[in-house]
Amino acid sequence: MRRISVFGATGSIGLNTLDLLRRDRDAYEIVALTGGRNVARLVELAREFRPAVAVLSDEGDLPALRDGLAGTGVEAAAGHAALIEAASRPADWVMSAIVGAAGLEPGLHALRAGATLALANKESMVCAGPLMLETARAHGAAILPVDSEHSAVFQALIGEDLAAVERVIITASGGAFRDWPLADLARATPEQAATHPNWAMGQRITIDSASMFNKALELIETKEFFGIDPGRIETVVHPESMIHALVGFVDGALMAHVGPPDMRHAIGFALHHPARRTLPVERLDLVRLGTLSFRTACEDRWPALRLAREVMRAGGLSGAVFNAAKEAALDAFVARRIGFTQMAEVVEDVLDRTTPERDAADGAISLDTVLHADQMARQAAGDAIAARAR
Ligand code: NAD
Ligand code: MG
């Protein structure tokens, strides 16, 4: 039996992961399931999957979790230390699907314990790519990308020589506002931004899709994960979300990964890698699909893309600063303190003003410097938000 943990089990990626595990229940022993604040859902999942431990992020929720799990034999735990302890338990395969920088530490601990880490939490790569890769290397662990674009690139690169890659094209749906007049964006509400044309995802990543901060994170993730030169990473708007990424080679060949927008493909690929197994995803009917379309990803509409290029050029801790500023700006937008277009202004301000502690000369970064850069950026974002708050 494979030992499996799912971090962020109660979210969109977590539930899709459990949907796959449920279909082959006897093949897996569940070590840990974790959730943020959704006690009822974690109780329900833990009652079904019977992990050794169920963990919530907030210690105040522990009594309710204990009550819900009474008589099941499932250990109830809560708080940061409990999350880290659960991540450090031996497991063969761990899904990293907490949203935000909060997913970084559990993922690092799972790697230290030697697990294969299925990485949906793109923020880990953006904030601490070199640290993630080095930790995996040092502990004989593997990281498999679960972001659909990166799973697509990973699959297109199987058997290929990285030196033969000319470019990587990451597609973007364009999110909720791709067809809105530019002048209307400043008035866009959180509810409008949280509606995705093609994908059903968590609220935060859906709003990040409308602002293209999600794509910005993914461009940085591409650089960090595959070691691709930023000048070779492109993005194009592809409203149908059927092609997830393309890899262009020096001989002119362009390999595209095509499939319906269903995260169970990328999750299932990572679950069974290096094998391919039958997955419950829709098979495409190309004739019914008819046409696929592409447009320029315009940086006037999506300044996050320009900021991502700056971050890729700067490297070091700028990814951690960028992500933390983005998270703070997103919170402020959801709380209606700033407008939609002000999120990019805040992030740009913070990038300009924050110079985190220098990294080691060899480019190595430690968890402490990453967390410190994250803190500095959140403080600077607080000021940038207060200056604009309505
Ligand atoms: P979600 O909001 O639906 O779920 C997030 C999970 O993390 C939940 O279980 C939540 O309870 C938990 N959580 C939130 N804050 C936490 C904290 N501070 N500490 C501990 N747990 C916390 O998000 P999602 O859409 O499932 O996305 C999860 C991750 O996967 C994100 O990094 C996202 O960018 C990435 N991702 C998601 C999709 C998708 O289709 N949803 C696709 C690609 C990548
Ligand atoms: Mg993606």
Side-chain angles (χ1 to χ4, degrees), residues 294-370:
F294 305 92
R295 315 178 197 165
T296 305
C298 164
E299 293 186 0
D300 291 340
R301 181 176 294 273
W302 294 295
L305 298 175
R306 174 173 53 77
L307 299 178
R309 300 234 162 259
E310 286 176 22
V311 169
M312 287 193 287
R313 252 196 313 273
L317 293 164
S318 63
V321 170
F322 177 76
N323 179 68
K326 190 278 299 178
E327 289 189 23
L330 176 57
D331 287 337
F333 171 62
V334 170
R336 294 183 159 72
R337 296 188 63 212
I338 60 171
F340 181 76
T341 48
Q342 287 177 316
M343 285 192 284
E345 293 174 21
V346 166
V347 174
E348 185 159 20
D349 259 25
V350 174
L351 280 173
D352 288 346
R353 284 197 222 149
T354 314
T355 321
E357 194 176 306
R358 273 188 65 83
D359 319 332
D362 63 356
I365 53 175
S366 69
L367 178 60
D368 283 348
T369 58
V370 170

Side-chain angles (χ1 to χ4, degrees), residues 10 43 66 108 131 138 145 168 192 218 260 296 381 388:
T10 58
V43 165
R66 279 213 182 101
L108 282 171
L131 180 62
V168 170
Q192 289 167 324
E218 291 181 357
T296 305
R388 292 173 172 82

Side-chain angles (χ1 to χ4, degrees), residues 75-163:
E75 182 185 340
H80 184 74
L83 193 64
I84 299 306
E85 190 277 325
S88 308
R89 294 191 185 196
D92 299 303
W93 189 89
V94 173
M95 168 53 75
S96 168
I98 289 174
V99 63
L104 172 62
E105 279 184 80
L108 282 171
H109 284 270
L111 290 173
R112 283 183 199 155
T116 291
L117 189 69
L119 190 68
N121 181 268
K122 60 193 80 185
E123 295 89 345
S124 295
M125 273 293 153
V126 171
C127 298
L131 180 62
M132 291 288 291
L133 297 178
E134 171 52 27
T135 305
R137 196 200 55 74
H139 297 272
I143 309 177
L144 295 170
V146 172
D147 217 343
S148 56
E149 296 76 4
H150 305 76
S151 176
V153 172
F154 186 93
Q155 293 180 52
L157 287 175
I158 291 173
E160 302 286 356
D161 182 353
L162 262 186

Side-chain angles (χ1 to χ4, degrees), residues 54-248:
V55 190
L56 286 169
S57 62
D58 198 302
E59 283 173 43
D61 293 328
L62 186 56
L65 183 63
R66 279 213 182 101
D67 280 355
L69 294 177
T72 61
V74 176
E75 182 185 340
H80 184 74
L83 193 64
I84 299 306
E85 190 277 325
S88 308
R89 294 191 185 196
D92 299 303
W93 189 89
V94 173
M95 168 53 75
S96 168
I98 289 174
V99 63
L104 172 62
E105 279 184 80
L108 282 171
H109 284 270
L111 290 173
R112 283 183 199 155
T116 291
L117 189 69
L119 190 68
N121 181 268
K122 60 193 80 185
E123 295 89 345
S124 295
M125 273 293 153
V126 171
C127 298
L131 180 62
M132 291 288 291
L133 297 178
E134 171 52 27
T135 305
R137 196 200 55 74
H139 297 272
I143 309 177
L144 295 170
V146 172
D147 217 343
S148 56
E149 296 76 4
H150 305 76
S151 176
V153 172
F154 186 93
Q155 293 180 52
L157 287 175
I158 291 173
E160 302 286 356
D161 182 353
L162 262 186
V165 173
E166 199 168 62
R167 58 180 175 149
V168 170
I169 305 172
I170 302 293
T171 58
S173 71
F177 304 142
R178 67 184 176 218
D179 298 319
W180 277 37
L182 274 185
D184 293 352
L185 290 181
R187 284 191 303 274
T189 66
E191 290 73 24
Q192 289 167 324
T195 324
H196 199 281
N198 306 328
W199 292 93
M201 309 185 285
Q203 184 210 36
R204 299 182 72 87
I205 182 176
T206 304
I207 297 176
D208 282 349
S209 296
S211 63
M212 285 258 199
F213 270 111
N214 180 51
K215 210 48 56 181
L217 295 176
E218 291 181 357
L219 296 179
I220 303 166
E221 183 186 8
T222 303
K223 176 203 162 202
E224 297 294 342
F225 200 101
F226 299 103
I228 307 263
D229 183 75
R232 298 182 183 277
I233 304 171
E234 304 169 14
T235 186
V236 65
V237 174
H238 166 46
E240 295 88 355
S241 294
M242 290 293 173
I243 297 184
H244 305 302
L246 308 93
V247 178

